[in-house]
Amino acid sequence: MLRIAITDDHTLFRKSLGLLINSFKNMEVVVEASNGIQLLKKLETNQVDVLLLDLQMPEMDGFETCQKIKELYPNIKTLVLTLMNETDTIKRVVKMGVQGYFTKNTPPKELEDAIWKLEENGFYFEKSLASVINEILDNLETNIEDKEIQFTERELEIITLTAQGLKSKDVADTLHISTKTVNTHKQNIQNKYNFDNMMTAILYCVKQKIIKI
């Protein structure tokens, strides 16, 4: 069961979103907060897997909240939910280590898929933002070492398909292998090349111009 936190200062939106997420299979909203200060207080006594976070909030906005979550709860995956889709905003949250970006004008039915992709692949960005994300990643300064890695053909196939937003099952179907084999390859990629997660592996490949999202 995925434990979800929602932080948004609009009560009606937050409550409606909570009802929607609780209707999804194997997901439960365990924390609701109207700003970052409330969220951090509730996280002291509640365990959370995924945080859905608005950027524009009073008292402690989404940007400051992101920084606090990264410092205090690095295992929580953060999916930004916002009306803001400007390049500068996306670039700012990517540099802060946010794993996902979902604009509020996206159809609700896509949210369930976004949360599972975030949980399974370690990141999620809307396909409509692909050109913006590519531009940002091409120019993003990262902490990835400048090293030359020779990926196997299968590893590159899995990295490329994962970068396109496919879940492990969809990658497996595309490559005609089992989901377990895909997950094993993902874990091997991270362990063999010392990547923190698949997002870091993808960032490396984009930075080295091995792939494009």
Side-chain angles (χ1 to χ4, degrees):
M1 180 73 70
L2 276 184
R3 295 157 297 198
I4 311 293
I6 303 173
T7 305
D8 192 293
D9 61 318
H10 293 92
T11 304
L12 181 60
F13 175 80
R14 188 175 67 248
K15 295 295 184 182
S16 299
L17 185 60
L19 289 173
L20 175 65
I21 291 172
N22 282 332
S23 73
F24 296 157
K25 186 177 180 180
N26 294 327
M27 292 188 201
E28 180 185 9
V29 176
V30 295
V31 169
E32 288 188 22
S34 60
N35 58 58
I37 294 175
Q38 284 188 12
L39 171 68
L40 292 174
K41 184 66 177 176
K42 292 186 178 184
L43 288 179
E44 292 176 2
T45 54
N46 291 276
Q47 191 171 354
V48 167
D49 301 304
V50 175
L51 167 63
L52 307 186
L53 180 67
D54 187 24
L55 291 178
Q56 297 174 300
M57 299 181 296
E59 297 189 63
M60 182 185 287
D61 65 18
F63 297 105
E64 186 176 354
T65 302
C66 283
Q67 292 177 325
K68 292 291 186 181
I69 292 297
K70 188 175 181 180
E71 294 169 9
L72 300 173
Y73 304 98
N75 291 328
I76 294 179
K77 298 181 178 69
T78 301
L79 177 64
V80 166
L81 288 177
T82 181
L83 291 171
M84 304 168 68
N85 60 1
E86 297 87 353
T87 301
D88 287 345
T89 300
I90 300 172
K91 182 177 182 179
R92 185 176 175 186
V93 297
V94 168
K95 290 181 72 173
M96 290 170 62
V98 168
Q99 294 98 338
Y101 202 96
F102 193 92
T103 54
K104 290 182 179 178
N105 58 3
T106 304
K109 64 180 181 180
E110 295 184 21
L111 180 60
E112 182 177 13
D113 191 45
I115 293 172
W116 280 118
K117 285 179 179 177
L118 178 67
E119 173 64 16
E120 186 172 310
N121 293 336
F123 72 97
Y124 173 84
F125 288 91
E126 284 184 35
K127 290 182 179 179
S128 63
L129 301 174
S131 60
V132 175
I133 297 298
N134 262 320
E135 177 188 342
I136 290 169
L137 295 183
D138 278 340
N139 298 286
L140 187 64
E141 293 296 325
T142 71
N143 294 322
I144 302 171
E145 296 179 13
D146 287 327
K147 53 189 176 183
E148 187 169 347
I149 294 176
Q150 296 295 326
F151 295 101
T152 67
E153 182 178 351
R154 179 63 85 197
E155 288 171 348
L156 278 179
E157 287 175 335
I158 289 173
I159 291 171
T160 301
L161 291 171
T162 301
Q164 292 172 5
L166 273 66
K167 292 185 287 188
S168 292
K169 182 182 182 304
D170 300 319
V171 173
D173 291 343
T174 301
L175 299 178
H176 306 293
I177 56 179
S178 71
T179 302
K180 182 179 179 179
T181 299
V182 171
N183 289 331
T184 299
H185 276 296
K186 286 182 177 182
Q187 195 60 54
N188 287 342
I189 290 167
Q190 294 172 55
N191 294 341
K192 185 161 65 169
Y193 305 117
N194 294 319
F195 291 124
D196 294 332
N197 48 47
M198 284 301 293
M199 181 62 172
T200 309
I202 290 166
L203 278 172
Y204 172 85
C205 290
V206 172
K207 184 178 175 65
Q208 298 296 324
K209 301 189 185 302
I210 299 171
I211 66 168
K212 287 186 74 70
I213 297 177

